């Protein structure tokens, strides 16, 4: 029974091996055949041959040519029983070749590799032909069914074989293929036609193709013979891979999707029981322990696994075949490169031997001579270095001797020369760098200290020269003469019209510095400056010089503080010296404070001027040294900063002194304040000219005090003007010559002469006039108008002396003009003068003089605008249009006054009209001896009196305008009254006609006015007297009235 089981297992093994081998050989054979009409027959024949175990090495049927398949075997076939001791078998084919015992497969070793072409490891590989026996033993059944091992095999029963369900096969009729045959009929006819036409051409060219293939094989064998790693020429040559006959359609390959996905998973490990159980489909690996048959007897599972393995190997063979050409060509290139490398190494070895032989025979003696020459040069260099070290060491005491004698430049020259020797700089000898000599390691720092000591000495000399000269100049300064010069300079300051910049006189020696007079000082400063340049201590010296100069500025101001009175010890005992100084300055009279400022300003100007001289001398010396332009520019800026710092500090200190008296200065009279401002401005401008920059330390203080002064100045004049207008009696005043001169200067634009008092007295006469003349027109003037003219002069003087405050002064002047207009309106049109000035009533004379005062303002305001516009910058002209609006306000005010005169006369006419209505015109006239009734005579008398007053105080055009309005009003109203008057007799009409004639005749006799019309006489003539016999006419006048 065991023999039968073993025999049955052997038969099953052989059957499964043949089946798997047949599948793989069918693919290999089909990939090597050409596509011809007989390809199907060849495929069948080869399949049969493979099944029978015969190797199909060459098949040639008709015109088809089958390429023999060969592979490169890594090792030759071993005899039976030869077992490889390595853990990894050398080749798959050696383990599965025909005739090899299966006992070689032991536990823990894998007998199957990934592909037939997976090992090319040595150069001893040889090519052997492919056989079907190499495929037959690759199945998994061959490994599991080891014939050397006895197994207990049992025959499978019905339980082991799964049942197959019955499938109903439908009956197919020939008519079912008609649609398909009809569809492929055209293609089949073309195929038959091409087959018949190509048969003869195929037979003719078969021999040519065979010859061509032989030539290609010879060429491939020649090329591959040099490559020990190459495969046989009929397998992996590039020509065979590119041959059209070798192209295998992808549809002939078995489908890779038939292999279960578990074999391709990354975590596929047969050691895992679950994986192994899934692969074996639950087969029993122990034997007879369950319902499933054991693995060794499950032929279906073994057939599946063999099929899966063959499918994967076929795909691997196809992939290797597609990619083998480039791989082996690269391998051939690597071999050639390896051979070239070996040749190159050999040549290098030969060259080295030649060079060694030349070195031994020809170079040794020459190199010895060169070595001796180098040693000689080194010894000479050592001698020079030793000599240089000796000279450098001897330079230090010499430097000390020169410093003791005061020969600073000789010491500096020796220091520079020694430094050059240390750094290897020499003119006659080679460069020797002695910085690494240990004997001179600290000598460079010693030289630096000596040079620094020389610089300190020269710095002391430099500061001593400058500060001693400065002290001498300040001590020798004549204080009184300097103060008088400063005053003259301040008084001689001129102002250019239409500009805010001051032009300082150029011929007084204040702005110009003559360096030719400072030659002696320049010679003394030159040596120290050059020495400081060489020691790189010029910047440090300038800093020390600046600090000393700041101390000098503070001392100059401090020494001129007011002395502390002995009677007030409490001031000296105060904790804060600044508080004591402020109290002293506030308690000083202006004259003493002004003299103190003059002394401080004149001394500071002299000091700053000397500092500017020192700056120019130093720059002249430095420029003569041919120094780098960038260094020269920076040094010039540093030196100029010293002069500016001194000037700025002086301004800040003086600003504090003046700031202590801010309240007192605001209350000064204009003359004293202008003197103070002029002197301060002169000091500021002169300092800025000397230092070349703008100093803000004093400007801000002066500007704030100027604002306070202008505010106080304006408030005082507003009070004066308001009080004078309220107390004005509105009587004509005489015009002094000074006031006429003020008006003339304003009209001519010569306001700069306001600052010259002497010129003002010369131009002004002693004759007083009754009228004020403006541009050829005469005006009556009252006291308040004279005062505002004087105020105009004060404000214009303020503009001239405080040119930087012109916008503020302009605003104050505009406020003054508005105040005058409003107050005149209150006292005249508002009748405020009756309360404030005690007037009984506001008469025509008062109105006329008020109109004249307004006319003066209307004439002068445009002139004021022109004068101010010349002293104001373009950016500050926004206040100028306000003058035009004020002129309009004055004109409207004047028109209201004229209207008031007309209204007064209308009121008087209304009073007389009532008297006219009370007259009994038809009665006998009383014998009064007058030419008209009383009402008419009174009306005409008042009108004539008005004309007399207006003709005296108003210009002709205003007189004409007012009287014309009065005449027109009277004529219209009187005509209306006459037309409504009831007259019954001729006597009454004659009386009325006499009044009308008297009215017209008297008013026509007035001069410089347009006479009234004859409308009143015509109105009387148009009256109709009713007839006594007509009763209806008697009532008509009554009705008309």
């Amino acid at each position: 029974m065991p023999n039968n089981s073993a025999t049955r297992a052997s038969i099953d093994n052989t059957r499964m091996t043949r089946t798997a081998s047949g599948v793989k050989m069918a693919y290999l054979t089909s990939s090597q055949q050409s596509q011809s009409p007989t390809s199907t027959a060849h495929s069948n024949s080869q399949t049969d041959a493979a099944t029978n175990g015969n190797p199909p090495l060459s098949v040639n049927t008709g015109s088809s040519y089958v390429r023999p398949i060969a592979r490169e075997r890594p090792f030759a076939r071993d005899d039976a029983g030869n077992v490889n001791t390595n853990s990894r078998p050398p080749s798959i084919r050696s383990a599965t070749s025909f005739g090899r015992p299966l006992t070689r497969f032991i536990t823990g070793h894998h007998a199957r590799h990934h592909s037939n072409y997976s090992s090319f490891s040595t150069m001893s590989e040889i090519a052997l032909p492919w056989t079907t026996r190499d495929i037959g033993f690759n199945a998994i059944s061959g490994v599991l069914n080891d014939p050397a091992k006895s197994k207990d095999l049992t025959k499978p029963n019905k339980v082991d074989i799964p049942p197959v369900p019955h499938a109903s096969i439908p009956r197919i009729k020939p008519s079912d293929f008609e649609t398909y045959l009809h569809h492929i009929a055209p293609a089949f006819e073309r195929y038959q036609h091409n087959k018949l036409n190509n048969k003869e051409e195929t037979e003719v060219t078969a021999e040519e193709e065979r010859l061509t293939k032989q030539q290609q094989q010879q060429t491939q064998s020649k090329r591959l013979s040099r490559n020990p790693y190459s495969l046989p020429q009929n397998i992996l040559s590039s020509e065979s891979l590119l041959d059209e006959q070798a192209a295998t359609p992808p549809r002939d390959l078995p489908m890779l999707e038939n292999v279960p996905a578990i074999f391709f998973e990354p975590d596929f490990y047969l050691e895992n029981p679950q994986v192994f159980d899934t692969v074996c489909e639950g087969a029993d690996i122990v034997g007879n322990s369950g319902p499933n048959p054991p693995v060794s007897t499950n032929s279906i599972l073994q057939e599946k696994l063999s099929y899966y393995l063959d499918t994967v190997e076929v795909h691997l063979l196809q992939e290797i075949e597609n990619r083998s050409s480039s791989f082996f060509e690269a391998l051939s290139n690597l071999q050639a490169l390896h051979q070239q490398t070996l040749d190159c190494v050999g040549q290098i070895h030969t060259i080295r031997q030649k060079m060694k032989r030349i070195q031994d025979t020809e170079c040794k003696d020459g190199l010895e001579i060169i070595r001796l020459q180098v040693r000689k040069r080194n010894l000479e260099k050592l001698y020079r270095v030793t000599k240089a070290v000796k000279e450098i060491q001897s330079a230090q005491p010499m430097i000390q001797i020169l410093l003791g004698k005061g020969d600073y430049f000789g010491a500096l020259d020796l220091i520079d020369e020694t430094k050059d020797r240390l750094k290897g700089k020499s003119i006659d000898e080679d460069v020797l760098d002695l910085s690494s000599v240990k004997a001179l390691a600290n000598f460079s720092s010693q030289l630096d200290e000596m040079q620094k000591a020389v610089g300190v000495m020269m710095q002391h000399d430099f500061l001593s020269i400058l500060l001693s000269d400065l002290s001498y100049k300040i001590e020798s300064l004549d204080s009184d003469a300097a103060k008088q010069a400063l005053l003259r300079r301040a008084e001689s300051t001129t102002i250019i019209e239409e500009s805010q910049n001051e032009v300082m006189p150029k011929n007084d020696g204040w702005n110009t510095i003559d360096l030719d007079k400072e030659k002696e000082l320049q010679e003394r400063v030159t040596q120290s400056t050059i020495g400081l340049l060489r020691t790189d201590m010029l910047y440090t010296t300038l800093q020390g010089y600046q600090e000393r100069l700041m101390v000098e500025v503070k001392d100059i101001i401090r020494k001129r503080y007011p002395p502390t009175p002995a009677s007030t010890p409490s001031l000296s005992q105060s904790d804060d010296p600044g508080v004591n100084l402020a109290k002293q300055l506030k308690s000083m009279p202006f004259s003493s404070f002004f003299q103190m400022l003059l002394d401080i300003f004149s001394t500071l100007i002299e000091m700053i001027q000397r500092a500017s001289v020192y700056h120019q001398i130093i720059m002249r010396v430095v420029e003569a040294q041919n120094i780098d332009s960038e260094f020269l520019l920076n040094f010039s800026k540093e030196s100029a900063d010293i002069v500016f710092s001194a000037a700025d500090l002086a301004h800040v200190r003086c600003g504090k002194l003046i700031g202590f008296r801010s309240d007192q200065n605001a209350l000064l009279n204009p003359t004293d304040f202008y003197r103070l401002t002029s002197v301060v401005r002169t000091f500021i401008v002169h300092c800025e000219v000397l230092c070349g920059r703008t100093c803000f330390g004093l400007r801000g203080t002066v500007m704030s005090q100027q604002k306070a002064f202008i505010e106080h100045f304006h408030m005082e004049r507003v009070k004066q003007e308001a009080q004078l207008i309220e107390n004005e009696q509105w009587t004509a005043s005489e015009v002094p010559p000074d006031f006429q001169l003020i008006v003339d200067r304003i009209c001519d634009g010569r306001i700069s002469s306001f600052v010259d008092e002497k010129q003002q007295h010369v131009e002004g006469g002693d004759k007083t006039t009754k009228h004020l003349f403006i541009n050829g027109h005469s005006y009556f003037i009252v006291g308040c108008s004279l005062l505002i003219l004087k105020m105009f002069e004060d404000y214009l003087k303020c503009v001239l002396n405080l040119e930087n405050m012109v916008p503020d002064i302009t605003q104050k002047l505009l406020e003054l003009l508005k105040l005058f207009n409003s107050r005149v309106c209150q006292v005249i049109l508002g009748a405020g003068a009756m309360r404030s000035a005690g007037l009984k009533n506001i008469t025509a004379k008062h109105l006329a003089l008020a109109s004249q005062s307004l006319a003066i303002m209307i004439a002068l305001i445009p002139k004021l605008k022109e004068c101010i516009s010349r002293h104001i910058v373009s950016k500050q002209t926004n206040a100028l249009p306000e003058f035009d609006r004020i002129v309009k306000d004055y004109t409207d005010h004047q028109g209201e006054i004229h209207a008031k005169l007309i209204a007064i006369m209308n009121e008087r006419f209304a009073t007389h009209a009532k008297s006219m209505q009370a007259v009994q015109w038809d009665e006998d006239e009383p014998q009064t001896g007058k030419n008209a009734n009383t009402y008419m005579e009174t009306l005409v008398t008042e009108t004539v009196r008005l004309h007399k007053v207006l003709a005296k105080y108003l210009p002709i055009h205003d007189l004409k305008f007012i009287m014309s309005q009065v005449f027109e009003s009277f004529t219209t109203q009187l005509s209306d009254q006459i037309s409504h008057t009831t007259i019954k007799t001729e006597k009454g009409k004659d009386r009325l006609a006499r009044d009308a004639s008297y009215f017209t005749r008297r008013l026509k006799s007035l001069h410089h006015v347009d006479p009234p019309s004859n409308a009143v006489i015509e109105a009387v003539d148009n009256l109709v007297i009713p007839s006594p016999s007509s009763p209806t006419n008697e009532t008509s006048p009554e009705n008309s009235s």
Side-chain angles (χ1 to χ4, degrees), residues 136-160:
F137 291 95
N138 285 336
I140 190 65
S141 59
V143 179
L144 297 177
N145 300 327
D146 190 356
K149 182 178 179 181
S150 60
K151 297 180 182 179
D152 187 10
L153 301 177
T154 59
K155 184 176 181 180
N157 50 24
K158 295 181 179 181
V159 179
D160 299 334

Side-chain angles (χ1 to χ4, degrees), residues 340-521:
Q340 293 177 4
T341 304
L342 294 177
D343 296 342
C344 184
V345 170
Q347 293 176 5
I348 292 173
H349 180 68
T350 303
I351 292 173
R352 284 182 176 177
Q353 290 179 350
K354 291 181 180 179
M355 291 179 65
K356 184 176 181 182
R357 184 170 62 255
I358 293 172
Q359 180 180 3
D360 295 338
T361 58
E362 300 180 5
C363 296
K364 272 189 177 181
D365 297 338
L367 290 175
E368 181 66 19
I369 295 173
I370 294 173
R371 186 184 66 79
L372 293 176
Q373 291 177 351
V374 170
R375 187 169 183 273
K376 178 184 177 182
R377 287 196 298 269
N378 290 337
L379 291 175
E380 292 175 353
K381 185 176 180 180
L382 178 61
Y383 171 75
R384 291 197 304 271
V385 170
T386 307
K387 183 179 179 181
V389 170
K390 179 182 178 181
E391 294 175 354
I392 290 173
Q393 290 287 355
S394 63
Q396 185 174 3
M398 182 59 65
I399 294 172
Q400 297 291 344
I401 295 173
L402 292 176
L403 290 178
K405 294 181 179 180
D407 188 2
Y408 300 137
F409 287 97
L412 287 176
D413 293 338
L414 186 55
I415 290 173
D416 293 340
E417 182 180 354
T418 307
K419 283 186 174 181
D420 292 341
R421 296 294 299 274
L422 282 175
K423 296 178 181 178
K425 298 179 181 178
S426 180
I427 300 176
D428 300 331
E429 300 178 357
D430 296 336
V431 176
L432 296 176
D433 187 5
L434 304 179
S435 59
S436 59
V437 178
K438 292 185 178 181
L440 304 176
N442 299 325
F443 200 77
S444 178
S445 60
Q446 295 176 6
L447 291 176
D448 293 337
E449 292 294 332
M450 294 179 185
Q451 184 176 0
K452 186 177 180 181
V454 174
V456 172
M457 296 177 184
M458 303 193 79
Q459 178 182 359
H460 182 268
D461 294 344
F462 180 84
L463 295 177
S464 177
I465 293 171
L466 295 184
L467 295 177
S468 61
D469 181 80
L470 178 63
S471 300
Y472 172 76
K473 291 294 183 180
I474 292 177
E475 291 175 0
S476 62
L477 179 67
D478 188 356
S479 179
D480 295 335
K483 289 191 287 186
Q484 292 299 324
L486 181 60
L487 277 176
R488 288 194 302 270
R489 181 176 177 78
E491 293 174 357
S492 62
T493 302
T494 58
I495 301 177
I496 295 183
E497 296 179 357
E498 302 178 359
S499 175
Q500 297 299 310
N501 298 326
E502 295 151 317
V503 177
M504 311 304 292
K506 300 297 182 181
N507 56 357
D508 57 357
W510 283 61
N511 287 332
T512 58
I513 298 175
D514 189 4
L515 293 180
D516 295 335
K517 299 180 180 180
E518 307 291 341
K519 289 184 178 180
E520 182 181 357
L521 177 63

Side-chain angles (χ1 to χ4, degrees), residues 947-995:
H947 173 267
K948 182 179 179 180
V949 172
L950 297 182
K952 179 180 179 180
Y953 294 108
L954 293 182
I956 295 177
H957 59 87
D958 291 338
L959 176 64
K960 284 184 178 181
F961 173 75
I962 295 173
M963 296 309 297
S964 297
Q965 294 293 327
V966 172
F967 290 168
E968 183 179 357
S969 177
F970 284 1
T971 303
T972 302
Q973 296 184 48
L974 190 57
S975 299
D976 186 66
Q977 289 293 333
I978 291 174
S979 63
H980 291 82
T981 302
T982 303
I983 298 178
K984 300 178 180 179
T985 61
E986 288 292 338
K987 183 187 295 186
K989 184 176 181 180
D990 292 339
R991 290 179 62 186
L992 186 57
R994 188 167 59 251
D995 289 346

Side-chain angles (χ1 to χ4, degrees), residues 7-198:
T7 303
R8 187 181 299 107
S10 178
I11 293 171
D12 294 338
N13 185 19
T14 302
R15 185 182 300 110
M16 287 186 291
T17 301
R18 290 179 178 179
T19 303
S21 300
V23 173
K24 187 177 294 184
M25 286 304 301
Y27 161 72
L28 293 175
T29 304
S30 61
S31 64
Q32 297 173 1
Q33 291 177 351
S34 62
Q35 296 181 0
S36 62
T38 60
S39 59
T40 306
H42 293 301
S43 178
N44 295 332
S45 63
Q46 283 198 352
T47 302
D48 297 336
T51 305
N52 298 327
N54 298 325
L57 294 178
S58 178
V59 181
N60 188 3
T61 304
S63 62
S64 63
Y65 171 74
V66 178
R67 192 186 312 273
I69 298 179
R71 72 181 184 88
E72 191 169 356
R73 196 178 297 275
F75 290 98
R77 298 179 182 272
D78 295 335
D79 296 336
N82 186 12
V83 181
N84 190 2
T85 60
N86 294 330
S87 63
R88 182 169 182 254
S91 176
I92 297 173
R93 300 308 177 191
S94 61
T96 58
S97 299
F98 178 78
R100 299 287 299 276
L102 294 180
T103 57
R104 188 165 182 251
F105 295 95
I106 60 177
T107 305
H109 295 272
H110 299 281
R112 182 176 297 278
H113 283 200
H114 294 286
S115 67
N116 295 330
Y117 305 106
S118 61
S119 179
F120 302 93
S121 58
T122 63
M123 294 185 180
S124 61
E125 298 176 355
I126 59 175
L128 295 177
W130 184 274
T131 62
T132 56
R133 296 179 181 179
D134 294 327
I135 299 176
F137 291 95
N138 285 336
I140 190 65
S141 59
V143 179
L144 297 177
N145 300 327
D146 190 356
K149 182 178 179 181
S150 60
K151 297 180 182 179
D152 187 10
L153 301 177
T154 59
K155 184 176 181 180
N157 50 24
K158 295 181 179 181
V159 179
D160 299 334
I161 300 174
V164 177
H166 178 72
S168 61
I169 300 174
R171 185 168 224 165
I172 304 302
K173 299 179 181 180
S175 60
D176 295 336
F177 295 96
E178 291 180 357
T179 303
Y180 171 74
L181 294 176
H182 179 72
H183 178 69
I184 67 170
F188 185 78
E189 290 176 359
R190 287 195 303 271
Y191 168 75
Q192 290 291 344
H193 177 72
N194 293 334
K195 181 178 179 182
L196 295 176
N197 292 336
N198 293 336

Side-chain angles (χ1 to χ4, degrees), residues 808-826:
D808 296 342
I809 299 171
T810 303
Q811 291 294 335
K812 302 302 182 183
L813 181 59
L814 291 172
E815 292 178 5
L816 182 67
L817 293 173
K818 293 177 181 178
L819 174 67
F820 181 81
N821 188 27
S822 61
R823 288 304 178 91
V824 170
C825 181
Q826 291 175 6

Side-chain angles (χ1 to χ4, degrees), residues 27 36 38 60 222 258 277 402 411 525 570 629 716 789 960:
Y27 161 72
S36 62
T38 60
N60 188 3
K222 291 179 180 180
N258 295 333
D277 187 63
L402 292 176
V525 173
S570 60
S629 59
E716 288 292 328
L789 291 179
K960 284 184 178 181

Side-chain angles (χ1 to χ4, degrees), residues 855-986:
I856 292 172
M857 296 296 105
I858 293 173
L860 286 180
I861 289 175
K863 302 299 181 180
L864 290 173
K865 177 184 176 182
E866 293 179 3
C867 294
I868 293 177
S869 64
R870 297 171 184 173
H871 298 273
I872 194 170
V873 296
S874 58
K875 295 181 180 180
Q876 299 174 346
T877 57
N878 52 354
L880 294 180
E882 189 67 23
F883 284 98
D884 299 332
R885 287 190 285 270
I886 292 178
V887 170
K888 184 178 181 301
D889 294 340
Y890 272 85
T891 304
D892 296 340
H893 187 189
Q894 189 181 34
E896 293 177 0
I897 291 177
H898 295 168
K900 183 66 175 178
L901 289 171
I902 298 171
I904 291 174
M905 295 307 297
N906 288 331
E907 292 176 359
R908 297 303 303 163
F909 180 83
T911 302
H912 296 308
K914 293 180 180 179
S915 300
M916 177 183 175
Q917 293 175 1
V919 174
Q920 300 296 327
W921 298 101
D922 296 330
E923 295 180 359
D924 293 337
E925 180 182 2
Q927 297 296 326
T928 58
K930 297 181 179 180
N931 296 325
N933 292 302
T934 304
Y935 80 93
M936 182 58 69
E937 287 186 350
T938 305
L939 177 62
V940 171
T941 301
E942 291 176 352
T943 305
V944 172
R945 189 181 299 118
L946 175 65
H947 173 267
K948 182 179 179 180
V949 172
L950 297 182
K952 179 180 179 180
Y953 294 108
L954 293 182
I956 295 177
H957 59 87
D958 291 338
L959 176 64
K960 284 184 178 181
F961 173 75
I962 295 173
M963 296 309 297
S964 297
Q965 294 293 327
V966 172
F967 290 168
E968 183 179 357
S969 177
F970 284 1
T971 303
T972 302
Q973 296 184 48
L974 190 57
S975 299
D976 186 66
Q977 289 293 333
I978 291 174
S979 63
H980 291 82
T981 302
T982 303
I983 298 178
K984 300 178 180 179
T985 61
E986 288 292 338

